[in-house]
Amino acid sequence: MVQATDRHNKKEIKEELVERLVHVNRVAKTVKGGRTMSFAAVVVVGDQKGRIGFGTGKAAEVPEAVVKATNEAKKNIIRIPLREGRTLHHDITGRFGAGKVVLRTAPAGTGVIAGGPMRAVFEVLGVQDVVAKSLGSNNPYNMIKATFDALTSINSPRMVAAKRGKKVGDIVSRRENTVKETKEEEA
């Protein structure tokens, strides 16, 4: 549990952060006297309401590596806009290195259809309905960074309206009207 103080009201605000250990890797370094083992951990932290961060840590023992990764993840928390608090605003792809991920919005009741590290990211983020596919690398580091690349490039209708200098209602209603027109043309 993280405690933060509001500067103006001097009250303590408690934020409940969920931590998820994604991957632990044992690393061996060969030295003159033999091998020294160390562990690398990847942790994802979020509040299940649209805030998420990830971090990595290395140490001689697994618990120490997890603590280091968790502290780094808490420092790197970002906010992701969610539609209706349950899914993404639009379909998006993300890349990092050889890892590529495709994230798609889903109707209510679909659930989280994603594998491995991406599932942990969505559960900690608070996304309840999403379809995701990992293409290319299955390295957990690259998959998480590619997922974060995709999530950071999501635009909510409010953000688009602010960029264009319009109202949110103009953008959303226009999108719904074009969807209706294309369906009428197809029929």
Side-chain angles (χ1 to χ4, degrees), residues 2-19:
V2 175
Q3 292 182 355
T5 55
D6 187 4
R7 290 181 10 188
H8 304 291
N9 297 334
K10 299 293 182 190
K11 286 191 221 172
E12 286 190 6
I13 303 168
K14 294 184 179 180
E15 300 175 15
E16 190 65 35
L17 292 177
V18 178
E19 302 170 6

Side-chain angles (χ1 to χ4, degrees), residues 32-110:
K32 186 176 178 182
R35 289 189 184 139
T36 58
M37 298 292 178
S38 64
F39 296 90
V42 181
V43 173
V44 179
V45 173
D47 65 352
Q48 295 184 329
K49 295 175 189 164
R51 292 177 53 217
I52 189 166
F54 82 98
T56 59
K58 290 169 71 174
E61 299 293 328
V62 175
E64 295 171 15
V66 171
V67 168
K68 286 182 180 180
T70 304
N71 290 339
E72 184 182 334
K74 288 177 183 176
K75 291 178 190 174
N76 299 326
I77 289 182
I78 58 172
R79 176 164 288 290
I80 306 297
L82 299 177
R83 182 175 16 146
E84 301 166 6
R86 61 166 190 82
T87 189
L88 307 175
H89 280 286
H90 53 85
D91 299 352
I92 191 112
T93 60
R95 290 192 71 100
F96 184 84
K100 181 180 177 185
V101 295
V102 178
L103 313 179
R104 302 197 65 192
T105 61
T110 303

Side-chain angles (χ1 to χ4, degrees), residues 4 11 18 20 69-70 114 142 154 156 158 163 168 172:
K11 286 191 221 172
V18 178
R20 186 68 47 93
T70 304
N142 287 349
I154 286 179
S156 68
R158 182 178 292 153
K163 285 180 187 175
V168 176
V172 174

